[in-house]
Amino acid sequence: MIELLPLEYQYCKEVAELAAKYLPEAWSYEAVCDVLKYDNNIYYVMKDCTSGTIIGFAGMMVIADEAELLNIVVSSLYRRKGIASRLLKQLIDDARGRQAYRMLLEVRESNDGARRLYEQNQFFVIGKRKAYYNNPTEDALIMESML
């Protein structure tokens, strides 16, 4: 069984490890813990209850009436099982609950899997940021969904 849980301090180490493995601009343990200090940050983890392991996480920031999806990460062993979709849907529900009227995100132009996930959830490309990402340098597509 896979369980969706709010991010808590006890999960920060595993989230930092996932970020180090899957995000080119990895967060430190301290940076992961810092997101818990602010009420406008909403983060979730996915926990494999059989192993007790954190297998994914996602988060957003809600400011005024807009939400910004900051990241979604799922361990490669658990991809294509609906986990990222479940995380995204939860964040969309939370953004609506906080009266956000839209959600924005940036995604690597080459990240076809993430782009498909976002498109399936009614996100549309509205712009591009040149050389936004490092490791390697790559453009970001800006995507938006009206909530």
Side-chain angles (χ1 to χ4, degrees):
M1 183 173 110
I2 308 288
E3 188 174 15
L4 174 73
L5 301 165
L7 175 63
E8 296 177 357
Y9 284 107
Q10 67 191 26
Y11 305 128
C12 288
K13 183 174 184 267
E14 287 181 89
V15 167
E17 290 168 357
L18 280 173
K21 187 170 184 178
Y22 296 107
L23 295 176
E25 294 87 16
W27 291 2
S28 67
Y29 169 77
E30 292 79 14
V32 174
C33 290
D34 280 350
V35 303
L36 294 171
K37 294 179 181 177
Y38 304 100
D39 289 339
N40 62 331
N41 288 333
I42 301 170
Y43 271 80
Y44 288 96
V45 297
M46 295 297 279
K47 181 178 180 180
D48 181 330
C49 294
T50 304
S51 67
T53 305
I54 299 301
I55 58 164
F57 70 92
M60 70 175 171
M61 178 178 6
V62 179
I63 298 178
D65 58 359
E66 290 187 348
E68 182 177 351
L69 180 67
L70 301 173
N71 43 41
I72 295 180
V73 174
V74 177
S75 170
S76 61
L77 298 173
Y78 292 86
R79 291 186 183 158
R80 303 190 93 41
K81 299 178 186 301
I83 293 168
S85 189
R86 192 168 160 202
L87 284 162
L88 179 58
K89 286 179 190 321
Q90 182 64 54
L91 290 174
I92 289 169
D93 287 347
D94 285 3
R96 286 180 178 136
R98 291 194 179 201
Q99 280 68 57
Y101 78 97
R102 72 177 181 163
M103 183 178 281
L104 297 163
L105 62 87
E106 288 100 5
V107 62
R108 282 184 182 270
E109 193 166 26
S110 67
N111 192 340
D112 293 332
R115 288 175 58 187
R116 272 193 304 278
L117 170 69
Y118 300 138
E119 289 164 358
Q120 290 167 356
N121 284 277
Q122 310 310 308
F123 282 83
F124 300 95
V125 175
I126 61 167
K128 184 186 281 195
R129 297 188 197 280
K130 292 284 187 189
Y132 182 77
Y133 290 106
N134 297 314
N135 302 326
T137 300
E138 186 173 354
D139 295 345
L141 296 178
I142 304 165
M143 299 183 80
E144 172 188 59
S145 178
M146 302 310 288
L147 304 174

